[in-house]
Amino acid sequence: MLRALAQPTIDHRGPAFAALGREVLEGLQRVFRTSGPVVIYPSSGTGAWEAALVNTLSPGDTVLMFEVGQFAVLWRDMAVGLGLNVEFVATDWRHGVDPDVVHTILVDDRDRKIKAVAVVHNETSTGVTTNMAEVRRAMMAANHPALLLVDAISSLASIDYRHDDWGVDVTVSGSQKGLMLPPGLGFNAISDKALAAADSARLPKSYWAWEPMIRNNKSGFFPYTPATNLLYGLREVLEMLLDEGLPRVFARHARFGEATRRAVRAWDLEIQAANPEEYSNSVTTVVVPQPHDADRLRQTILERFDMSLGMGLGKLKGRTFRIGHLGDLNDLMLAGTLCGVEMGLSICRVPHNRGGVGAALAYLSAVGD
Ligand SMILES: Cc1ncc(COP(=O)(O)O)c(C=O)c1O
């Protein structure tokens, strides 16, 4: 993939580019599991969040959002900044979105003020995955017409995701997680209903507007300069993922997630996610017992072993660290990661039981990939 990125940049208005454009746009549809359009922005995931909101909504529209963690907070802040009215449901940052709460709020919304329900599928700060099929079912049971907007930035290509089957209207994602690419591509997968909403959505937009994107994409082109070299890499990773087969990709992540959680439990540390049915298979957030500082532990592990762990985000800063287990990872890479954590816990004298690595290795050797 890195070699693919290093190819010479071609003319993005020329015929060779059109073939590349068509290939990656079609491959992405298979990964998002949609027959509708997927647009690609030269942006981070935050840009794709903005695109989802500005293309579907109008100033003052109400959006229902859930405070499942720091990324949900940031998306809420963006929605407020854009002039939307956000109904923000608090959670304890240890659970995903409760479909019963979605149902109750939508049933109570008799005037149909809520125009969209926006959910972070896999909350990267907490390591909690919401059951999206259940959220959609709750919306249908309430017979509510709101759009469903989903952030799949840290779930796409790591955890089962189905844009069409789950009736998602806009799926937001990015290149730097399950797609294993450098940062720099943002995606929106778009339903027919979202396209229809875009016709009357009045939030200001220009760079993020879907219409010129989709029109140009039909012939494999983009309305402005695309991130051509990242698209070379995208073509490569799509081929890798589709050759392996998405069910196998998800099973690989589930196995790494389970091995990691077994290590954490054997250390006798707490997993931030409270409900085993919502454990994330792309990231595990680990609680460091107070008064120990998770950032000091991370810094020690970085200095001693040159290994970078995810920091605690938002209100979890200093209290948690995160072990990413997504993308291009194999058994020994995960084992090395867990060894680094176990040694770091000892060096920093964080109270724990030894044997986390052993528990993970026992699982990895007993359960083949
Ligand atoms: C779930 C989730 N949403 C949104 C974002 C923001 O994406 P970006 O940093 O690419 O703008 C991230 C980044 O890690 C994320 O994990």
mmCIF file of all heavy atoms in Angstrom, residues 43-49 70-72 74-75 120-125 151-155 172-177 183-186 313 322, ligand 1:
data_model
loop_
_atom_site.group_PDB
_atom_site.id
_atom_site.type_symbol
_atom_site.label_atom_id
_atom_site.label_comp_id
_atom_site.label_asym_id
_atom_site.label_seq_id
_atom_site.Cartn_x
_atom_site.Cartn_y
_atom_site.Cartn_z
ATOM 1 N N SER A 43 -10.155 15.231 2.858
ATOM 2 C CA SER A 43 -10.397 15.842 4.182
ATOM 3 C C SER A 43 -10.182 14.811 5.272
ATOM 4 O O SER A 43 -10.085 13.619 5.003
ATOM 5 C CB SER A 43 -11.846 16.336 4.278
ATOM 6 O OG SER A 43 -12.738 15.256 4.534
ATOM 7 N N SER A 44 -10.168 15.260 6.506
ATOM 8 C CA SER A 44 -10.203 14.323 7.635
ATOM 9 C C SER A 44 -11.666 13.941 7.881
ATOM 10 O O SER A 44 -12.582 14.425 7.196
ATOM 11 C CB SER A 44 -9.587 14.961 8.881
ATOM 12 O OG SER A 44 -10.525 15.801 9.507
ATOM 13 N N GLY A 45 -11.886 13.103 8.861
ATOM 14 C CA GLY A 45 -13.250 12.674 9.178
ATOM 15 C C GLY A 45 -14.134 13.841 9.600
ATOM 16 O O GLY A 45 -15.339 13.846 9.334
ATOM 17 N N THR A 46 -13.554 14.827 10.238
ATOM 18 C CA THR A 46 -14.334 15.979 10.700
ATOM 19 C C THR A 46 -15.008 16.681 9.516
ATOM 20 O O THR A 46 -16.156 17.128 9.609
ATOM 21 C CB THR A 46 -13.411 16.953 11.470
ATOM 22 O OG1 THR A 46 -12.833 16.231 12.568
ATOM 23 C CG2 THR A 46 -14.150 18.152 12.003
ATOM 24 N N GLY A 47 -14.305 16.763 8.402
ATOM 25 C CA GLY A 47 -14.899 17.362 7.205
ATOM 26 C C GLY A 47 -16.102 16.556 6.749
ATOM 27 O O GLY A 47 -17.136 17.118 6.349
ATOM 28 N N ALA A 48 -15.978 15.238 6.808
ATOM 29 C CA ALA A 48 -17.089 14.388 6.374
ATOM 30 C C ALA A 48 -18.283 14.505 7.333
ATOM 31 O O ALA A 48 -19.436 14.390 6.910
ATOM 32 C CB ALA A 48 -16.615 12.939 6.262
ATOM 33 N N TRP A 49 -18.019 14.758 8.622
ATOM 34 C CA TRP A 49 -19.111 15.069 9.571
ATOM 35 C C TRP A 49 -19.875 16.302 9.091
ATOM 36 O O TRP A 49 -21.097 16.335 9.077
ATOM 37 C CB TRP A 49 -18.491 15.472 10.912
ATOM 38 C CG TRP A 49 -18.364 14.456 11.977
ATOM 39 C CD1 TRP A 49 -18.861 13.198 12.029
ATOM 40 C CD2 TRP A 49 -17.651 14.678 13.214
ATOM 41 N NE1 TRP A 49 -18.503 12.610 13.221
ATOM 42 C CE2 TRP A 49 -17.765 13.492 13.953
ATOM 43 C CE3 TRP A 49 -16.945 15.750 13.769
ATOM 44 C CZ2 TRP A 49 -17.190 13.341 15.228
ATOM 45 C CZ3 TRP A 49 -16.377 15.607 15.024
ATOM 46 C CH2 TRP A 49 -16.498 14.412 15.744
ATOM 47 N N GLN A 70 -16.281 11.352 23.638
ATOM 48 C CA GLN A 70 -15.702 12.617 23.187
ATOM 49 C C GLN A 70 -16.015 12.942 21.726
ATOM 50 O O GLN A 70 -16.216 14.096 21.373
ATOM 51 C CB GLN A 70 -14.181 12.593 23.423
ATOM 52 C CG GLN A 70 -13.453 13.840 23.001
ATOM 53 C CD GLN A 70 -13.879 15.087 23.786
ATOM 54 O OE1 GLN A 70 -14.632 15.002 24.765
ATOM 55 N NE2 GLN A 70 -13.422 16.237 23.347
ATOM 56 N N PHE A 71 -16.055 11.923 20.856
ATOM 57 C CA PHE A 71 -16.335 12.247 19.458
ATOM 58 C C PHE A 71 -17.786 12.682 19.282
ATOM 59 O O PHE A 71 -18.080 13.567 18.464
ATOM 60 C CB PHE A 71 -15.918 11.101 18.531
ATOM 61 C CG PHE A 71 -14.423 11.013 18.469
ATOM 62 C CD1 PHE A 71 -13.734 10.031 19.169
ATOM 63 C CD2 PHE A 71 -13.695 11.974 17.788
ATOM 64 C CE1 PHE A 71 -12.339 9.996 19.161
ATOM 65 C CE2 PHE A 71 -12.305 11.950 17.775
ATOM 66 C CZ PHE A 71 -11.628 10.951 18.467
ATOM 67 N N ALA A 72 -18.669 12.108 20.074
ATOM 68 C CA ALA A 72 -20.064 12.557 20.046
ATOM 69 C C ALA A 72 -20.151 14.015 20.514
ATOM 70 O O ALA A 72 -20.913 14.817 19.947
ATOM 71 C CB ALA A 72 -20.919 11.657 20.924
ATOM 72 N N LEU A 74 -17.806 16.289 20.176
ATOM 73 C CA LEU A 74 -17.260 17.152 19.117
ATOM 74 C C LEU A 74 -18.244 17.314 17.955
ATOM 75 O O LEU A 74 -18.372 18.396 17.374
ATOM 76 C CB LEU A 74 -15.926 16.590 18.614
ATOM 77 C CG LEU A 74 -14.779 16.603 19.633
ATOM 78 C CD1 LEU A 74 -13.552 15.917 19.054
ATOM 79 C CD2 LEU A 74 -14.435 18.030 20.056
ATOM 80 N N TRP A 75 -18.938 16.227 17.636
ATOM 81 C CA TRP A 75 -19.923 16.321 16.529
ATOM 82 C C TRP A 75 -21.072 17.233 16.952
ATOM 83 O O TRP A 75 -21.579 18.024 16.164
ATOM 84 C CB TRP A 75 -20.417 14.914 16.144
ATOM 85 C CG TRP A 75 -20.957 14.820 14.742
ATOM 86 C CD1 TRP A 75 -20.877 15.754 13.758
ATOM 87 C CD2 TRP A 75 -21.655 13.697 14.171
ATOM 88 N NE1 TRP A 75 -21.476 15.286 12.613
ATOM 89 C CE2 TRP A 75 -21.957 14.030 12.836
ATOM 90 C CE3 TRP A 75 -22.050 12.447 14.662
ATOM 91 C CZ2 TRP A 75 -22.646 13.156 11.980
ATOM 92 C CZ3 TRP A 75 -22.718 11.576 13.810
ATOM 93 C CH2 TRP A 75 -23.019 11.930 12.484
ATOM 94 N N VAL A 120 -22.738 8.112 16.822
ATOM 95 C CA VAL A 120 -21.373 7.613 16.606
ATOM 96 C C VAL A 120 -21.426 6.097 16.796
ATOM 97 O O VAL A 120 -21.696 5.620 17.903
ATOM 98 C CB VAL A 120 -20.380 8.264 17.588
ATOM 99 C CG1 VAL A 120 -18.983 7.669 17.396
ATOM 100 C CG2 VAL A 120 -20.355 9.774 17.403
ATOM 101 N N HIS A 121 -21.208 5.352 15.712
ATOM 102 C CA HIS A 121 -21.349 3.887 15.783
ATOM 103 C C HIS A 121 -20.329 3.283 16.741
ATOM 104 O O HIS A 121 -20.690 2.550 17.662
ATOM 105 C CB HIS A 121 -21.177 3.299 14.376
ATOM 106 C CG HIS A 121 -21.257 1.813 14.333
ATOM 107 N ND1 HIS A 121 -20.465 1.056 13.500
ATOM 108 C CD2 HIS A 121 -22.029 0.925 15.010
ATOM 109 C CE1 HIS A 121 -20.759 -0.227 13.666
ATOM 110 N NE2 HIS A 121 -21.701 -0.329 14.566
ATOM 111 N N ASN A 122 -19.053 3.587 16.506
ATOM 112 C CA ASN A 122 -18.002 3.071 17.386
ATOM 113 C C ASN A 122 -17.320 4.278 18.020
ATOM 114 O O ASN A 122 -16.608 5.011 17.341
ATOM 115 C CB ASN A 122 -16.994 2.251 16.582
ATOM 116 C CG ASN A 122 -15.962 1.588 17.483
ATOM 117 O OD1 ASN A 122 -16.279 0.665 18.232
ATOM 118 N ND2 ASN A 122 -14.732 2.062 17.426
ATOM 119 N N GLU A 123 -17.585 4.497 19.320
ATOM 120 C CA GLU A 123 -17.037 5.680 19.980
ATOM 121 C C GLU A 123 -15.580 5.372 20.351
ATOM 122 O O GLU A 123 -15.300 4.586 21.265
ATOM 123 C CB GLU A 123 -17.909 6.029 21.194
ATOM 124 C CG GLU A 123 -17.448 7.169 22.049
ATOM 125 C CD GLU A 123 -17.113 8.481 21.337
ATOM 126 O OE1 GLU A 123 -18.002 9.158 20.827
ATOM 127 O OE2 GLU A 123 -15.919 8.850 21.318
ATOM 128 N N THR A 124 -14.676 6.009 19.623
ATOM 129 C CA THR A 124 -13.248 5.691 19.733
ATOM 130 C C THR A 124 -12.680 6.089 21.091
ATOM 131 O O THR A 124 -11.646 5.565 21.508
ATOM 132 C CB THR A 124 -12.475 6.418 18.611
ATOM 133 O OG1 THR A 124 -13.282 6.410 17.424
ATOM 134 C CG2 THR A 124 -11.161 5.754 18.307
ATOM 135 N N SER A 125 -13.332 7.021 21.794
ATOM 136 C CA SER A 125 -12.795 7.429 23.099
ATOM 137 C C SER A 125 -13.100 6.409 24.190
ATOM 138 O O SER A 125 -12.335 6.278 25.140
ATOM 139 C CB SER A 125 -13.353 8.809 23.497
ATOM 140 O OG SER A 125 -14.759 8.754 23.619
ATOM 141 N N ASP A 151 -21.724 8.052 12.272
ATOM 142 C CA ASP A 151 -20.270 8.159 12.208
ATOM 143 C C ASP A 151 -19.698 6.750 12.308
ATOM 144 O O ASP A 151 -19.789 6.099 13.347
ATOM 145 C CB ASP A 151 -19.803 9.041 13.386
ATOM 146 C CG ASP A 151 -18.287 9.051 13.568
ATOM 147 O OD1 ASP A 151 -17.600 8.132 13.078
ATOM 148 O OD2 ASP A 151 -17.804 9.976 14.239
ATOM 149 N N ALA A 152 -19.135 6.267 11.187
ATOM 150 C CA ALA A 152 -18.512 4.930 11.181
ATOM 151 C C ALA A 152 -16.999 5.070 10.994
ATOM 152 O O ALA A 152 -16.353 4.216 10.386
ATOM 153 C CB ALA A 152 -19.119 4.081 10.068
ATOM 154 N N ILE A 153 -16.447 6.151 11.549
ATOM 155 C CA ILE A 153 -15.026 6.445 11.306
ATOM 156 C C ILE A 153 -14.127 5.347 11.858
ATOM 157 O O ILE A 153 -13.181 4.924 11.199
ATOM 158 C CB ILE A 153 -14.680 7.852 11.855
ATOM 159 C CG1 ILE A 153 -15.312 8.895 10.925
ATOM 160 C CG2 ILE A 153 -13.156 8.048 11.984
ATOM 161 C CD1 ILE A 153 -15.096 10.333 11.288
ATOM 162 N N SER A 154 -14.437 4.837 13.052
ATOM 163 C CA SER A 154 -13.547 3.798 13.595
ATOM 164 C C SER A 154 -14.196 2.418 13.569
ATOM 165 O O SER A 154 -13.755 1.519 14.278
ATOM 166 C CB SER A 154 -13.074 4.164 15.005
ATOM 167 O OG SER A 154 -14.168 4.346 15.866
ATOM 168 N N SER A 155 -15.238 2.260 12.755
ATOM 169 C CA SER A 155 -15.830 0.917 12.621
ATOM 170 C C SER A 155 -15.728 0.393 11.197
ATOM 171 O O SER A 155 -15.552 -0.814 10.997
ATOM 172 C CB SER A 155 -17.297 0.906 13.070
ATOM 173 O OG SER A 155 -18.040 1.904 12.409
ATOM 174 N N VAL A 172 -20.710 8.485 7.678
ATOM 175 C CA VAL A 172 -19.501 9.311 7.649
ATOM 176 C C VAL A 172 -18.317 8.406 7.972
ATOM 177 O O VAL A 172 -18.381 7.622 8.919
ATOM 178 C CB VAL A 172 -19.609 10.398 8.747
ATOM 179 C CG1 VAL A 172 -18.305 11.179 8.871
ATOM 180 C CG2 VAL A 172 -20.791 11.313 8.492
ATOM 181 N N SER A 173 -17.239 8.500 7.184
ATOM 182 C CA SER A 173 -16.047 7.756 7.585
ATOM 183 C C SER A 173 -14.786 8.442 7.078
ATOM 184 O O SER A 173 -14.853 9.536 6.497
ATOM 185 C CB SER A 173 -16.135 6.300 7.125
ATOM 186 O OG SER A 173 -15.222 5.505 7.870
ATOM 187 N N GLY A 174 -13.655 7.801 7.338
ATOM 188 C CA GLY A 174 -12.371 8.394 6.966
ATOM 189 C C GLY A 174 -11.374 7.301 6.619
ATOM 190 O O GLY A 174 -11.634 6.113 6.790
ATOM 191 N N SER A 175 -10.216 7.720 6.112
ATOM 192 C CA SER A 175 -9.261 6.743 5.563
ATOM 193 C C SER A 175 -8.341 6.111 6.591
ATOM 194 O O SER A 175 -7.748 5.065 6.336
ATOM 195 C CB SER A 175 -8.392 7.455 4.512
ATOM 196 O OG SER A 175 -7.818 8.643 5.037
ATOM 197 N N GLN A 176 -8.208 6.729 7.780
ATOM 198 C CA GLN A 176 -7.042 6.400 8.606
ATOM 199 C C GLN A 176 -7.273 5.320 9.655
ATOM 200 O O GLN A 176 -6.410 5.090 10.487
ATOM 201 C CB GLN A 176 -6.531 7.685 9.295
ATOM 202 C CG GLN A 176 -7.374 8.206 10.448
ATOM 203 C CD GLN A 176 -8.481 9.160 10.037
ATOM 204 O OE1 GLN A 176 -8.994 9.063 8.930
ATOM 205 N NE2 GLN A 176 -8.858 10.072 10.914
ATOM 206 N N LYS A 177 -8.434 4.665 9.636
ATOM 207 C CA LYS A 177 -8.654 3.638 10.668
ATOM 208 C C LYS A 177 -8.699 2.267 9.993
ATOM 209 O O LYS A 177 -7.662 1.756 9.596
ATOM 210 C CB LYS A 177 -9.930 3.969 11.455
ATOM 211 C CG LYS A 177 -9.859 5.331 12.174
ATOM 212 C CD LYS A 177 -9.471 5.156 13.580
ATOM 213 C CE LYS A 177 -9.375 6.390 14.461
ATOM 214 N NZ LYS A 177 -9.452 7.720 13.966
ATOM 215 N N PRO A 183 -4.129 9.510 7.092
ATOM 216 C CA PRO A 183 -5.281 10.408 7.135
ATOM 217 C C PRO A 183 -5.366 11.225 5.857
ATOM 218 O O PRO A 183 -4.356 11.400 5.170
ATOM 219 C CB PRO A 183 -4.994 11.331 8.327
ATOM 220 C CG PRO A 183 -3.748 10.859 8.955
ATOM 221 C CD PRO A 183 -3.096 9.846 8.072
ATOM 222 N N GLY A 184 -6.569 11.726 5.536
ATOM 223 C CA GLY A 184 -6.669 12.630 4.392
ATOM 224 C C GLY A 184 -7.831 12.384 3.459
ATOM 225 O O GLY A 184 -8.049 13.172 2.557
ATOM 226 N N LEU A 185 -8.576 11.268 3.678
ATOM 227 C CA LEU A 185 -9.797 11.075 2.889
ATOM 228 C C LEU A 185 -10.983 11.008 3.855
ATOM 229 O O LEU A 185 -10.941 10.291 4.859
ATOM 230 C CB LEU A 185 -9.749 9.774 2.081
ATOM 231 C CG LEU A 185 -8.676 9.642 1.000
ATOM 232 C CD1 LEU A 185 -8.757 8.269 0.336
ATOM 233 C CD2 LEU A 185 -8.806 10.752 -0.052
ATOM 234 N N GLY A 186 -12.039 11.753 3.514
ATOM 235 C CA GLY A 186 -13.298 11.680 4.268
ATOM 236 C C GLY A 186 -14.384 11.163 3.338
ATOM 237 O O GLY A 186 -14.346 11.456 2.126
ATOM 238 N N LEU A 313 -9.442 10.625 26.223
ATOM 239 C CA LEU A 313 -9.938 11.826 25.551
ATOM 240 C C LEU A 313 -11.051 12.472 26.363
ATOM 241 O O LEU A 313 -11.843 11.779 27.018
ATOM 242 C CB LEU A 313 -10.458 11.468 24.154
ATOM 243 C CG LEU A 313 -9.381 10.995 23.168
ATOM 244 C CD1 LEU A 313 -10.024 10.430 21.900
ATOM 245 C CD2 LEU A 313 -8.436 12.131 22.807
ATOM 246 N N ARG A 322 -5.799 3.816 25.627
ATOM 247 C CA ARG A 322 -6.527 3.018 24.625
ATOM 248 C C ARG A 322 -5.574 2.140 23.821
ATOM 249 O O ARG A 322 -4.518 2.606 23.392
ATOM 250 C CB ARG A 322 -7.304 3.956 23.685
ATOM 251 C CG ARG A 322 -8.424 4.695 24.424
ATOM 252 C CD ARG A 322 -9.085 5.731 23.558
ATOM 253 N NE ARG A 322 -8.142 6.733 23.129
ATOM 254 C CZ ARG A 322 -8.090 7.257 21.911
ATOM 255 N NH1 ARG A 322 -8.964 6.862 20.993
ATOM 256 N NH2 ARG A 322 -7.198 8.164 21.597
HETATM 257 C C1 LIG B 1 -15.401 8.141 15.923
HETATM 258 C C2 LIG B 1 -14.637 9.319 15.391
HETATM 259 N N1 LIG B 1 -15.317 10.363 14.883
HETATM 260 C C3 LIG B 1 -14.680 11.424 14.384
HETATM 261 C C4 LIG B 1 -13.314 11.518 14.384
HETATM 262 C C5 LIG B 1 -12.654 12.736 13.843
HETATM 263 O O1 LIG B 1 -11.995 12.422 12.669
HETATM 264 P P1 LIG B 1 -10.723 13.250 12.163
HETATM 265 O O2 LIG B 1 -9.787 13.340 13.319
HETATM 266 O O3 LIG B 1 -10.206 12.421 11.008
HETATM 267 O O4 LIG B 1 -11.207 14.568 11.710
HETATM 268 C C6 LIG B 1 -12.560 10.467 14.904
HETATM 269 C C7 LIG B 1 -11.092 10.532 14.931
HETATM 270 O O5 LIG B 1 -10.413 9.712 15.494
HETATM 271 C C8 LIG B 1 -13.242 9.345 15.426
HETATM 272 O O6 LIG B 1 -12.566 8.304 15.941
#
